[in-house]
Amino acid sequence: MKANDAVIGVIVLLFGSAVALYAQTFPILAGMPVGPGLFPSIIGGGMAICGIVLIGRAVLDHRQGRGAPMLVLADWAREPLGWFRAVAVLASLLFYIAASQWLGFHITAAIVVGGMLAAFKVNPIAVVPAGIVAALVIHYIFYSLLRVPLPWGILLPIAW
């Protein structure tokens, strides 16, 4: 699927503006010349500028007769299986957001990885072990190497 640069530019402009505006609500720390909103503001402002550049480029291309259609569907988007997989990716993200605090990272990640592998027609024998191994590896990277705690959920009594 390919979208016109104007469409992408509007999305990037709106998202960057929202990030920059939301970063302005971050509290200012006493005695600090910069607050926690500095880098999100810079990134959001940069995204907004990139969105404006994309829109301007698309307008110039359109005036010169080189304008692309607003949306061109890729081959995968012409098949129901492609849409099923796209919806499965979004549904897995929503499932992780909704269930990770209650079920914990390990169970939720194993379900998400296993579900995604099943949606993409990976060998069913490999789905469950791959989901479990992926959850454990990701947990090790975040918990032990990066020192980022992940939710334990119902596994809290056996947390290590």
Side-chain angles (χ1 to χ4, degrees):
M1 184 176 322
K2 182 174 181 174
N4 187 310
D5 284 347
V7 174
I8 301 296
V10 168
I11 293 170
V12 171
L13 173 64
L14 292 175
F15 185 73
S17 299
V19 168
L21 289 174
Y22 185 71
Q24 301 305 311
T25 65
F26 292 173
I28 297 173
L29 303 176
M32 298 291 292
V34 295
L38 176 66
F39 289 114
S41 297
I42 292 171
I43 292 170
M47 289 179 69
I49 291 170
C50 289
I52 292 170
V53 170
L54 282 172
I55 294 168
R57 185 173 148 196
V59 169
L60 287 177
D61 284 348
H62 181 72
R63 286 187 179 175
Q64 295 173 352
R66 297 181 300 172
M70 288 298 209
L71 187 65
V72 177
L73 293 179
D75 291 340
W76 69 264
R78 295 187 177 114
E79 300 174 13
L81 182 61
W83 284 103
F84 168 74
R85 289 175 175 165
V87 169
V89 170
L90 294 175
S92 67
L93 291 173
L94 293 175
F95 173 73
Y96 181 81
I97 292 169
S100 63
Q101 288 297 323
W102 176 66
L103 285 177
F105 171 79
H106 299 86
I107 295 173
T108 309
I111 291 171
V112 167
V113 171
M116 293 308 305
L117 292 175
F120 283 85
K121 293 192 173 185
V122 172
N123 184 350
I125 295 172
V127 167
V128 172
I132 293 170
V133 169
L136 292 174
V137 168
I138 294 170
H139 178 264
Y140 174 75
I141 291 170
F142 274 82
Y143 191 76
S144 298
L145 300 179
L146 299 175
R147 307 269 184 212
V148 174
L150 296 172
W152 283 93
I154 59 175
L155 297 179
L156 186 60
I158 62 167
W160 61 83

